[in-house]
Amino acid sequence: MMAITQRSVIAAVGLGVLLALSGCFGPGPRPSPTISSSSAAYPSALESPSPSMSATAGTSPTLATPGTAPVSATPGPGETMEPTPTGLPEQVAPLTVYYVAVGDNGVSGPMIGCGDSLVATKTAPVRFTDQVGPSINALLANRSRTLGQSGLVNVLYQSTLTYLGGTFDGTTITVYLQGQFMLAGVCDIPRAKAQLEQTAVTAAGAKRAVVFVNGRPIDDVLSLK
């Protein structure tokens, strides 16, 4: 009887150990779910509404520009802008847009066209990643012939042009547009070209600009031949 009891005890202990060991090889605890998040891409110029512009005497015009968010102040000392998902650093700065001083004979800026001057204007500070698109869009979206009370003229105000994109090789900024020019006369041809090209050059920090409209060089599109 004692031998039977011992065997029973040993069997029971062995079964308990086996059960304990078998629990170690079962499925482990489910890992807690992970949550990933990423900031939304900054709206591109083509997804944003057309800008509005206002100007008063003695002040630079203020433009709300497609592809940008108007801000009230620039970053403080030591403040950095986080890169956006596009890979370009976000910046806060005014945009430079060019208009024409008709008959100014190069007094206010580089002489162009029929004895006119090309004049740089500054927008209010805006937030952007790619400066070329917002700058060109600011120019194309202005539907007023004159820039407030500045006396400067925008010969593109009736044109139906849309910015498609651009490329920059370190020297030349190439801009692609689609749409139609609506100009008032022969003298508006060099004015329109200068406004577009110099706005793109300044925005990109380029040495020269090449503009294509509907896949054709701007010189061909504006040619009277």
Side-chain angles (χ1 to χ4, degrees), residues 187-209:
C187 286
D188 274 1
I189 293 176
R191 294 166 183 166
K193 182 182 177 182
Q195 281 189 259
L196 288 167
E197 290 182 347
Q198 193 57 47
T199 296
V201 164
T202 301
K207 293 183 178 180
R208 60 188 293 266

Side-chain angles (χ1 to χ4, degrees), residues 46-158:
L46 297 179
E47 296 171 346
S48 303
S50 299
S52 59
M53 179 188 66
S54 62
T56 56
T59 62
S60 298
T62 299
L63 296 92
T65 310
T68 61
V71 296
S72 58
T74 56
E79 183 178 351
T80 59
M81 309 300 293
E82 293 294 329
T84 65
T86 62
L88 294 174
E90 192 174 71
Q91 302 178 52
V92 177
L95 303 173
T96 301
V97 182
Y98 283 82
Y99 295 97
V100 179
V102 176
D104 188 65
N105 291 309
V107 174
S108 302
M111 183 180 291
I112 60 167
C114 303
D116 308 317
S117 298
L118 190 63
V119 181
T121 68
K122 294 286 188 180
T123 71
V126 295
R127 193 182 305 276
F128 60 84
T129 53
D130 168 25
Q131 190 171 353
V132 176
S135 298
I136 294 293
N137 274 311
L139 174 61
L140 297 179
N142 182 3
R143 295 303 175 191
S144 298
R145 184 178 185 276
T146 57
L147 191 68
Q149 299 179 19
S150 66
L152 299 178
V153 171
N154 173 29
V155 301
L156 296 166
Y157 77 107
Q158 289 183 309

